């Protein structure tokens, strides 16, 4: 059994399913579990701070008569650069339509054609327009609003806003509880023992200094599972979005790929359209290829820009309101001038190793959403497959949890009173300073970013080791460092380039390495210790 947290004195027992996170996957799973009682651990008020709410593109689904799940699965595998699990791609793409209809029934105002069909956007590496959207570029925001309204109207769901999970309790290979503390940190955590725990707390983009992810999303949930011994898959595969606004904001606002799907082009400061010489699909090449080309322009001092003028004219304002709002804030008129852009960490293909039912390698622990690594995305996620995967695995996990609990637990529909928690301000627990988090993020962008090499990855691992030694008493920071370690260690081990993982010192793909990575935190820490030792 894991050692109790040194300052943990309070234990609560609940028969609610505990869901860690409050994004799209978490909300959808809570609804799927109803009327079984659920307790959601939400660091922010619902709707704030979750990556899903910031998604612009939409949900990839073969809704068109001319399209098929098989074609969608083929595109998913092609984009994934040789490591997509074929059976997972087949299952997820087959279920896509059901989930779009389910969201429609819940009230999501998808954009519709005059004859009642779905308006489809085209995004990179899709062989046809296949992304259902909401109010132009507001898919994430609108779907989240729909789900939040449904959750608020579901009495079986209790939401603990302002709390975060910092650690798991593990007993004989099963996750038996989760320590939670106020999201602001500082107070001693309290242990919540529950019959089932579902992790749906997002990815790792915010571990990088340049990111499109909300500030709360810094690999904490992947790190928490890894520290408890859960197996991690594909951590080296991080997706960098090619077109984040380069306007000095942290996080960097996104300029959706659907703009390029509608004909927007990429130019540099000289006015040259550089993607045509890089890939036959030009601006709609797979995302990793476009990201590296943008990065090269930035590095060469030829500021890359997204030019919507000829393709969209004034329509960019009405059809892409989120992009228009960012432009207005930055003083850019996209009708008259191109938008300055840069790459930014956007999505983590790696995460907690998860089977088709959403089970992790620990009993009683399920995962869905970006924290999971299901094998769908391979080395490079196909655009708008992220929300789709979140929905499919939220339902799969909820169904599996309900089935397992039906064999063991009391009447799932029995009335349950809300769990009451209050945190004492003492004893105070350690909090890593903002400078330590900034150093971690700068290190990840500098050495574990779009282009990597042996020396840089080792230096990143040594820096993480030092930061952890200084500030590892802060559990949330230790979780971030765990995920950073896993990403850098797996990237060091993968001596080839594939999808989102590019090594300057091994730029070719090696067919012998066309497989997924499975790694524990113990293994990653051994790699980190060796790298740190080598540099002393
Ligand atoms: C975008 O709208 O460009 C992002 C979509 C995605 O990341 O899937």
């Amino acid at each position: 059994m894991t050692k109790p947290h040194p300052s943990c004195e309070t234990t609560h027992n609940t028969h609610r399913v505990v869901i860690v996170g409050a994004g799209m996957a978490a909300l959808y799973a809570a609804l799927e579990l109803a009327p079984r009682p659920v307790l959601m651990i939400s660091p922010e008020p619902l709707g704030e701070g979750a990556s899903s709410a910031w998604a612009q593109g939409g949900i990839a689904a073969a809704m068109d008569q001319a399209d098929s799940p098989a074609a969608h699965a083929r595109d998913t595998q092609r984009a994934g650069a040789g490591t997509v699990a074929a059976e997972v791609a087949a299952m997820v793409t087959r279920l896509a339509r059901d989930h779009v209809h389910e969201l429609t029934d819940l009230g999501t105002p998808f954009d519709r054609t005059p004859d009642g069909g779905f308006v489809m956007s085209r995004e990179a590496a899709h062989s046809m327009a296949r992304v259902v959207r909401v109010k132009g570029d507001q898919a994430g925001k609108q779907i989240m609003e729909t789900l939040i309204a449904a959750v608020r109207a579901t009495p079986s769901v209790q939401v603990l806003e302002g709390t975060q999970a910092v650690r798991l309790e593990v007993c004989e290979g099963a996750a038996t509880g989760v320590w939670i503390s106020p999201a602001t940190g500082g107070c001693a955590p309290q242990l919540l023992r529950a019959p089932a725990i579902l992790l749906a707390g997002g990815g790792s983009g915010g571990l990088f200094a340049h990111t499109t992810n909300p500030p709360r999303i810094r690999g904490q949930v992947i790190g928490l599972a890894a520290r408890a011994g859960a197996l991690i898959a594909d951590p080296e595969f991080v997706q960098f979005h090619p077109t984040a606004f380069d306007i000095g904001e942290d996080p960097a606002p996104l300029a959706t790929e659907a703009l390029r799907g509608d004909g927007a082009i990429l130019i540099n400061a000289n006015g040259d359209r550089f993607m045509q010489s890089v890939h036959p699909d030009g601006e709609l090449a797979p995302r990793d290829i476009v990201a590296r080309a943008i990065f090269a322009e930035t590095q060469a001092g030829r500021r890359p820009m997204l030019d919507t003028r000829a393709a969209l004219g004034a329509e960019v304002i009405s059809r892409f309101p989120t992009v228009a709002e960012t432009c207005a804030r930055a003083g850019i008129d996209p009708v008259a001038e191109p938008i300055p852009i840069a790459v930014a960490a956007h999505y983590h293909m790696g995460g907690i190793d998860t089977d088709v039912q959403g089970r992790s390698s620990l009993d009683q622990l399920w995962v869905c959403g970006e924290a999971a690594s299901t094998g769908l995305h391979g080395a490079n996620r196909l655009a708008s497959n992220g929300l789709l995967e979140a929905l499919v695995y939220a339902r799969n996990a909820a169904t599996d949890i309900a089935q397992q609990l039906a064999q063991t637990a009391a009447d799932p529909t029995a009335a349950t009173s809300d769990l009451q928690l209050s945190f004492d301000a003492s004893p105070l627990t350690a909090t890593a300073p903002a400078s330590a988090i900034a150093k971690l993020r700068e290190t990840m962008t500098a050495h574990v970013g779009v282009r990597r090499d042996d020396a840089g990855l080792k230096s990143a691992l040594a820096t993480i080791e030092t930061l952890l030694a200084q500030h590892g008493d802060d559990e949330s920071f230790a979780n971030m460092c765990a995920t950073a370690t896993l990403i850098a260690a797996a990237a060091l081990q993968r001596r080839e380039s594939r999808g989102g993982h590019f090594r300057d010192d091994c730029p070719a793909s090696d067919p012998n390495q066309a497989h997924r990575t499975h790694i524990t935190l113990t293994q990653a820490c051994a790699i980190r210790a060796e790298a740190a030792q080598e540099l002393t």
Side-chain angles (χ1 to χ4, degrees), residues 356-423:
V356 286
Q357 285 145 321
R359 295 180 188 175
S360 75
S361 63
L362 298 176
D363 289 342
Q364 294 174 215
L365 185 69
W366 287 258
V367 198
C368 59
E370 197 176 337
S373 183
T374 65
L376 176 67
H377 306 307
N380 178 46
R381 179 180 61 104
L382 184 68
S384 290
N385 266 356
L387 296 187
L388 172 61
E389 184 201 46
L391 298 169
V392 170
Y393 277 82
R395 177 178 291 168
N396 287 7
T399 305
D400 195 52
I401 290 170
Q403 277 169 3
Q404 280 211 10
L405 294 190
Q407 294 160 17
T408 56
D411 176 10
T413 57
T416 310
S417 52
D418 278 4
L419 199 74
Q420 303 297 332
L421 274 89
S422 65
F423 290 94

Side-chain angles (χ1 to χ4, degrees), residues 55-58 123 239 241 243 254-258 260 287 346-347 381-387:
Q56 293 183 10
E123 292 188 7
Q239 183 167 74
H241 199 289
T243 58
L254 188 66
T256 176
E257 200 161 86
R260 279 177 281 136
R287 200 174 272 184
H346 181 61
Y347 189 91
R381 179 180 61 104
L382 184 68
S384 290
N385 266 356
L387 296 187

Side-chain angles (χ1 to χ4, degrees), residues 205-211 250-251 438 440-445:
L207 273 178
F208 293 79
H210 298 150
T211 182
D250 176 27
L440 178 64
R441 297 179 69 208
E442 281 153 19
T443 300
M444 293 299 282
T445 284

